[in-house]
Amino acid sequence: MDFVDIHNSTRVTNDKNLNRFLLILLISISIPSILINLFAIRRLHFNTKSSVFAFRCILHLSLFTICTCLPFFLVELFYNSYFPLPISFCRLWIIMDYSSIVCIGLFVCWASIQRHIFIFGSIQTRKLHSKIRYKLCPLLLILILPITWYSVLVFTCEYSIIQLKHFRCRPCFENMKFVFLIDIFLSLICPLTITILVNFLLLIRLIRLRLNLFNSNRKKWRRCKRLTHQMILFTTIYLIGLLPYVLANLNTLYQFWPNINLSSYLQIANALTCVPCCFSSFLSIYIFPEIWKVHRKHRRDMRKTSITFLSSSEM
């Protein structure tokens, strides 16, 4: 018994130290991420290209997630994995957190498919997908479906009075193996698989295009290379954030690796889901250099408009 007590106290201490480390790390990353995200959204506001629309949606959703879901996770880390707020806040956090993760995955998947259209599609196809209905329809579906699904699941959860004293804010459908498996498969595994396959095909088509355009039409090659580079980087941070989370949840269901089915590993996997939200803003500054040109062009247009207005008022 003494050995068991020592082992349990050591594990609690390790979990507490890990939670403190994750708390400091996430605060240190999230604050500059919010500032850079606001800066990027402000600059990308003047970029109306269809190829940038999905990434603008990702930036807006990442900012929303950092400002709304991350504070709840920081509170849980501060209280060593326990959630001290009322149950209504727990339900709200679960709906927003799960929905935002799935929405970001669907946006990345949608952007990957769009890259094939904008790089290899015909001019008529690109013009067709530039229309507003081809932007709004996927946007509404990506936002409405996850929110509706998780709202239905969360409000079916019931928590006992004993749980409310010191409980971890976790959805009850994680304990229902069949429902949880369907949720993981449809919301995470399918978008992840499609995104990986589409990006792999994109690389193959890009290599073939490079061989066909060798020493000719370098302008088209640079454009295709830039669009592919943007997609690969966004997909990379998406995979880094969500692959450990998917594997950790599958491991809790089927016990593939019992040795790593500990609370510390699950907490690290949950923290990694913040990677797509926090680092998408840093990537946007790097992979969208054209936003500076658009912003300078907008300032020149505003300056010309003001000069014209002043000259007309003087007359």
Side-chain angles (χ1 to χ4, degrees):
M1 289 296 293
D2 293 337
F3 176 77
V4 174
D5 293 337
I6 293 173
H7 178 72
N8 291 332
S9 62
T10 304
R11 190 181 64 180
V12 170
T13 304
N14 292 335
D15 291 344
K16 189 174 182 179
N17 292 332
L18 176 64
N19 289 334
R20 287 179 178 177
F21 172 75
L22 293 176
L23 176 67
I24 296 172
L25 182 64
L26 289 176
I27 291 176
S28 303
I29 295 175
S30 61
I31 293 176
S33 177
I34 291 174
L35 298 176
I36 295 175
N37 202 324
L38 291 171
F39 176 77
I41 289 174
R42 175 76 174 91
R43 293 299 181 93
L44 280 176
H45 178 72
F46 304 110
N47 194 329
T48 58
K49 294 180 180 178
S50 299
S51 58
V52 185
F53 180 75
F55 296 103
R56 289 172 58 188
C57 295
I58 293 174
L59 287 176
H60 282 86
L61 186 59
S62 298
L63 181 63
F64 172 80
T65 305
I66 295 173
C67 294
T68 56
C69 300
L70 187 59
F72 289 113
F73 185 52
L74 295 178
V75 168
E76 190 179 62
L77 290 176
F78 182 78
Y79 285 96
N80 198 22
S81 300
Y82 291 106
F83 194 75
L85 299 177
I87 192 64
S88 58
F89 288 96
C90 176
R91 295 180 188 273
L92 181 63
W93 176 33
I94 293 174
I95 293 173
M96 292 189 302
D97 188 36
Y98 278 69
S99 300
S100 61
I101 292 174
V102 175
C103 287
I104 290 176
L106 294 177
F107 273 123
V108 174
C109 184
W110 174 38
S112 302
I113 297 173
Q114 271 192 331
R115 278 297 179 264
H116 285 269
I117 298 173
F118 291 127
I119 295 176
F120 302 103
S122 61
I123 297 177
Q124 290 79 10
T125 306
R126 291 199 295 267
K127 287 183 178 179
L128 186 65
H129 280 264
S130 298
K131 294 184 179 180
I132 190 68
R133 65 174 179 269
Y134 287 97
K135 295 179 180 179
L136 287 181
C137 290
L139 175 64
L140 293 176
L141 287 175
I142 288 173
L143 293 177
I144 291 175
L145 290 179
I147 294 175
T148 305
W149 168 249
Y150 287 111
S151 297
V152 172
L153 288 180
V154 167
F155 281 101
T156 58
C157 295
E158 294 182 359
Y159 298 95
S160 63
I161 299 176
I162 299 175
Q163 285 180 306
L164 293 179
K165 293 180 180 179
H166 293 291
F167 82 108
R168 301 182 67 180
C169 186
R170 296 292 181 268
C172 63
F173 59 84
E174 286 187 352
N175 300 321
M176 298 182 287
K177 184 175 290 188
F178 180 72
V179 176
F180 195 37
L181 182 61
I182 292 177
D183 173 60
I184 290 179
F185 181 78
L186 294 179
S187 60
L188 294 175
I189 295 178
C190 279
L192 277 171
T193 306
I194 294 173
T195 303
I196 292 172
L197 291 176
V198 169
N199 280 277
F200 181 71
L201 293 175
L202 184 63
L203 282 175
I204 293 176
R205 298 183 71 178
L206 186 71
I207 293 171
R208 292 181 59 186
L209 181 66
R210 175 58 175 167
L211 296 176
N212 294 330
L213 295 179
F214 190 73
N215 292 330
S216 64
N217 203 349
R218 296 190 176 186
K219 184 178 180 181
K220 182 179 179 181
W221 162 249
R222 285 195 299 268
R223 176 181 175 274
C224 297
K225 181 182 176 182
R226 186 185 73 250
L227 293 177
T228 306
H229 187 228
Q230 293 171 355
M231 194 65 252
I232 295 299
L233 289 177
F234 264 94
T235 303
T236 301
I237 64 169
Y238 168 63
L239 294 178
I240 291 174
L242 294 188
L243 264 181
Y245 178 77
V246 172
L247 294 176
N249 283 289
L250 288 176
N251 187 48
T252 57
L253 287 177
Y254 295 102
Q255 301 293 326
F256 295 119
W257 305 284
N259 293 329
I260 66 171
N261 193 19
L262 299 174
S263 59
S264 58
Y265 292 104
L266 295 176
Q267 197 74 296
I268 293 174
N270 290 329
L272 284 175
T273 58
C274 301
V275 169
C277 300
C278 293
F279 285 92
S280 60
S281 57
F282 296 102
L283 271 184
S284 63
I285 297 297
Y286 171 67
I287 66 178
F288 292 118
E290 66 269 18
I291 64 175
W292 306 99
K293 299 178 183 179
V294 174
H295 186 66
R296 287 197 295 266
K297 182 178 180 297
H298 177 77
R299 286 195 299 179
R300 286 198 301 267
D301 294 340
M302 292 293 292
R303 196 176 301 162
K304 289 180 181 178
T305 304
S306 62
I307 293 173
T308 305
F309 177 76
L310 290 175
S311 61
S312 61
S313 61
E314 291 176 357
M315 293 178 62

